[in-house]
Amino acid sequence: MKSKFNQKAPNWPTDAPSIKSLERLIELGEIGQFEFPILPWPFPVGRYLVTFMSSNTSGRVRSGTVVSVTNQSRNSNRVVVSFFRGFSNSPETCTFTIPAGMTADFATRDLPNDLTVANALPTPELTFHEGRAIVSSVHPEIAVSSRVYYTSGANDEQLLAISDSKIVAIGEGNRGD
């Protein structure tokens, strides 16, 4: 599934040179979602563990997880966020090529644009799941944050809370924080 860029998003540039630059990156395939398999190598490597993911559209309290990844590399960076449900080892994935110095949001499901604009969603979207996520990238220079949005209403009309999920480097543990 390929999503179109939301040009009404608050972080969409308004100056002509920036818009032209983004359009050029899109045309060259240097930005946007990508499909598997990815050739040529290198393949994205697991870098960070998001310790909690929740995505639920049933019940009075709904939730959706958004993982933000900032590419600090000098090059475009292929990033994969793999959402794992419960004890499953079969993830639902979101993929995106992020230009140098830019940030992309990977979400478990589509949330209202007033809350956040997702650049990549898994297919199918997650609607009744808890678990974890793994963030992988070709270049190691990434910064990662994650939050869970809690809402109510059939269309997530009311924001109830936002919580930050702990991010841990793969192969390392918490430092008790």
Side-chain angles (χ1 to χ4, degrees):
M1 174 185 128
K2 294 192 177 194
S3 62
K4 295 184 179 183
F5 288 93
N6 185 339
Q7 297 180 0
K8 295 179 184 172
N11 58 353
W12 188 264
T14 56
D15 60 296
S18 295
I19 291 171
K20 189 168 186 85
S21 176
L22 275 176
E23 288 172 346
R24 180 79 174 131
L25 288 170
I26 293 166
E27 288 172 9
L28 294 172
E30 290 291 315
I31 182 174
Q33 291 186 324
F34 59 92
E35 302 294 326
F36 287 103
I38 306 164
L39 296 174
W41 298 97
F43 194 77
V45 173
R47 310 240 181 240
Y48 293 98
L49 167 68
V50 176
T51 61
F52 180 71
M53 171 276 296
S54 177
S55 194
N56 189 352
T57 59
S58 64
R60 291 186 346 197
V61 176
R62 298 161 58 98
S63 63
T65 299
V66 178
V67 177
S68 297
V69 179
T70 300
N71 178 14
Q72 299 181 88
S73 170
R74 292 181 176 166
N75 304 307
S76 292
N77 202 348
R78 291 182 175 171
V79 177
V80 176
V81 175
S82 302
F83 294 105
F84 292 88
R85 299 173 281 186
F87 294 108
S88 169
N89 283 324
S90 299
E92 300 296 335
T93 61
C94 302
T95 59
F96 203 81
T97 301
I98 307 173
M102 302 291 230
T103 301
D105 289 332
F106 301 78
T108 55
R109 65 182 185 86
D110 204 13
L111 292 165
N113 287 350
D114 290 344
L115 295 179
T116 189
V117 177
N119 301 107
L121 299 167
T123 303
E125 294 181 20
L126 304 179
T127 57
F128 191 68
H129 303 93
E130 283 189 351
R132 67 198 186 285
I134 300 284
V135 180
S136 306
S137 66
V138 169
H139 302 291
E141 301 90 358
I142 59 173
V144 178
S145 68
S146 179
R147 59 214 167 276
V148 180
Y149 290 87
Y150 296 94
T151 63
S152 65
N155 295 309
D156 303 299
E157 297 90 17
Q158 185 176 7
L159 177 63
L160 302 175
I162 302 172
S163 68
D164 289 333
S165 296
K166 179 72 178 171
I167 309 294
V168 178
I170 295 287
E172 298 180 21
N174 281 18
R175 295 184 199 145
D177 49 354

